[in-house]
Amino acid sequence: MKKRSKKLLFILAFILIVLIVGIVWYQIPTKLLRGNSSTIAEIYLFDGDTGREMIVSDPDAVSFIVGELQDVCFKRDGLALGFGTSYHLQFITDTGRTKAQFIIQTSRQVKKGILFYTLSDESENLKALRVYLEKLLDWSLTDTGTIPA
């Protein structure tokens, strides 16, 4: 009987520790795009609302997009199963590997994998980035030769 109660106590303690670690992980703010931005060679951009897509390979445009995303922290905000696409971004390194990919749903919410992430600071938003992505997609239709600022 004592052996069984020790085993049960060990299992309950393990479950409790896993639960606490999971809760702490869920609550800690995170950055969705980490590391050196110079390793990103291009960004695949797809607008799920219009169906337009393009590959952004201009170094200044890539640097701006990566910088906007590296400057903000996100907090996990729940499951995101079966939701649509607004701006799908896929970051491709100079070796051709995908570094990260996620979907900008709104000016405050991003979907990565099966989770929604919301900006952790109330004063921040991704509105400037969304406007810039829209300009890039419009530019890709006209192809005037100069990436918009």
Side-chain angles (χ1 to χ4, degrees), residues 125-146:
N125 67 54
L126 298 172
K127 192 172 191 172
L129 179 58
R130 288 176 59 88
V131 167
Y132 184 75
L133 296 176
E134 185 65 32
K135 284 182 183 178
L136 280 177
L137 288 166
D138 288 343
W139 170 83
S140 71
L141 291 177
T142 59
D143 197 12
T144 59
T146 306

Side-chain angles (χ1 to χ4, degrees), residues 73-90:
C73 283
F74 293 87
K75 62 182 179 180
R76 292 164 189 89
D77 196 28
L79 290 177
L81 300 173
F83 285 89
T85 300
S86 187
Y87 290 110
H88 177 96
L89 298 168
Q90 184 175 3

Side-chain angles (χ1 to χ4, degrees), residues 20-32 34 73-77 115 117-118 120:
I20 290 171
V21 168
I23 290 170
V24 168
W25 171 82
Y26 189 81
Q27 295 298 323
I28 293 176
T30 185
K31 296 204 179 247
L32 296 181
R34 299 173 191 260
C73 283
F74 293 87
K75 62 182 179 180
R76 292 164 189 89
D77 196 28
L115 292 176
Y117 291 81
T118 303
S120 59

Side-chain angles (χ1 to χ4, degrees), residues 6-21:
K6 279 186 178 182
K7 196 175 197 180
L8 182 62
L9 186 61
F10 177 75
I11 291 172
L12 288 174
F14 178 76
I15 290 171
L16 184 62
I17 289 170
V18 168
L19 188 62
I20 290 171
V21 168

